[in-house]
């Protein structure tokens, strides 16, 4: 209980300092249990009755407010599965910030599966940021399997910004997007793996509405013996535009597979894909070395710039 109190106090202090109570809403989850939450004038959070998770209701007058839904998992051998649904009314403008931190110092695996569904109303503008992080010196794995489902109505905008750069042993990301007329999707995915870590990302974007557009950018770095698989797919079912770009840096004995897929089912569907996998640029490395940097320092600078 004492440890739980410390976690709660630290999070409440963080929430208070960030001013969430005035600027938006928040919900904190620790080892499968909701610790605290706060509503704002335009955003209401309701606990689900039939399964773990919450419903977040964002009304049409929301303009620039934030929703924070952090998850902390520090119990070895614990698996947390949660269903969070976001109901965004027409015309709303909101930023949703999610993230899961796993600390595992035990011998058993710790796992978090977050299933997030977004129902985006006509003309709404949503930015969703999701950060994953793992740490701990135990033998148990740190596992994250996020599922993101996005349903976009006419003229809506959705920006998906995901990042996973340290400490997660295994991850499988599933993303599904259904786009309406004149809707716009922007995706930026950043990933770094090391050791024997594995990462898989599958994305299906259905451009169903006339005038819809999608821009998908994936950047990753694979080190040591880690492996990565990317499979983004864009399906043009109407007059639309889409661009998929996958760029990866491979190091040591790592493996990277990039499988961008485009599927045009309409005469006016214009879809482009690009994929590149390569080692760190030798010229950049030499230039930084001549400035007095050690090789590891130079590599870190290049990787950081690449992921940002």
């Amino acid at each position: 209980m004492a440890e739980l109190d410390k976690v709660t106090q630290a999070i409440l202090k963080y929430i208070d300092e960030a001013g969430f109570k005035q600027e938006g809403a928040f919900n904190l989850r620790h080892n499968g249990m909701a610790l605290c939450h706060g509503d704002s004038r335009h955003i209401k959070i309701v606990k689900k009755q039939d399964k773990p998770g919450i419903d977040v209701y964002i009304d049409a007058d929301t303009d620039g407010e934030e929703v924070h839904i952090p998850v902390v998992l520090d119990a070895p051998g614990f698996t947390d599965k949660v269903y969070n649904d976001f109901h965004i009314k027409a015309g709303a403008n909101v930023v949703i910030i999610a993230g899961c931190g796993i600390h595992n110092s035990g011998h058993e695996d710790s796992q978090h599966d977050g299933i997030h569904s977004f129902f985006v109303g006509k003309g709404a503008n949503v930015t969703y940021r999701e950060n994953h992080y793992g740490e701990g010196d135990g033998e148990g794995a740190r596992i994250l399997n996020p599922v993101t489902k996005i349903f976009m109505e006419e003229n809506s905008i959705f920006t998906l910004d995901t990042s996973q750069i340290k400490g997660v042993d295994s991850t499988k990301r599933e993303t599904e997007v259904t786009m309406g007329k004149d809707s716009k999707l922007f995706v930026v995915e950043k990933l770094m793996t090391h050791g024997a870590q594995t990462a898989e990302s599958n994305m299906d974007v259905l451009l169903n509405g006339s005038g819809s557009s999608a821009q998908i950018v994936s950047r990753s770095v694979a080190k040591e013996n880690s492996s990565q698989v990317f499979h983004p797919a864009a399906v043009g079912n109407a007059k639309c535009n889409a661009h998929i770009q996958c760029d990866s840096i491979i190091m040591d004995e790592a493996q990277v597979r990039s499988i961008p897929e485009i599927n045009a089912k309409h005469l006016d569907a214009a879809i482009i894909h690009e994929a590149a996998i390569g080692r760190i640029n030798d010229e950049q490395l030499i230039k930084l070395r001549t400035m007095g940097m050690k090789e590891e320092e130079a590599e870190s600078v290049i990787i950081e710039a690449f992921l940002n």
Side-chain angles (χ1 to χ4, degrees), residues 28-73:
L28 187 282
R29 188 174 178 85
H30 177 246
N31 289 337
M33 181 175 65
L35 289 188
C36 56
H37 92 267
D39 297 335
S40 71
R41 181 180 178 185
H42 301 298
I43 303 171
K44 308 302 178 186
I45 299 175
V46 179
K47 181 181 179 181
K48 288 185 179 296
Q49 298 301 313
D50 57 339
K51 55 188 173 183
I54 54 176
D55 284 289
V56 182
Y57 297 93
I58 300 167
D59 73 28
D61 294 323
T62 305
D63 187 10
E65 293 185 34
E66 296 183 351
V67 183
H68 293 255
I69 52 167
V71 172
V72 177
L73 195 61

Side-chain angles (χ1 to χ4, degrees), residues 145-218:
N145 295 324
V147 176
T148 306
K149 299 181 180 181
I150 305 167
F151 305 91
M152 303 177 64
E153 293 187 16
E154 182 179 348
N155 284 310
S156 61
I157 301 172
F158 199 100
T159 301
L160 173 62
D161 188 346
T162 70
S163 177
Q164 180 178 303
I165 59 173
K166 188 176 181 181
V168 179
D169 295 301
S170 172
T171 185
K172 184 175 182 181
R173 173 181 293 278
E174 301 287 346
T175 305
E176 302 173 9
V177 187
T178 303
M179 304 183 65
K181 181 181 178 182
D182 294 322
S183 60
K184 294 179 174 61
L185 173 70
F186 302 94
V187 177
V188 177
E189 185 178 48
K190 290 177 274 190
L191 173 72
M192 183 163 68
T193 56
H194 56 88
Q197 295 173 352
T198 62
E200 180 179 347
S201 178
N202 299 305
M203 183 179 300
D204 290 310
V205 178
L206 304 179
L207 295 101
N208 293 341
S210 177
S212 58
S213 62
Q215 179 178 309
I216 302 165
V217 178
S218 174

Side-chain angles (χ1 to χ4, degrees), residues 279-296:
R279 58 180 295 172
I280 287 179
N281 187 292
D282 287 336
E283 292 183 3
Q284 293 178 338
L285 195 60
I286 292 171
K287 187 174 182 179
L288 292 175
R289 292 294 303 277
T290 60
M291 296 171 64
M293 289 188 183
K294 295 180 180 179
E295 184 173 353
E296 289 185 359

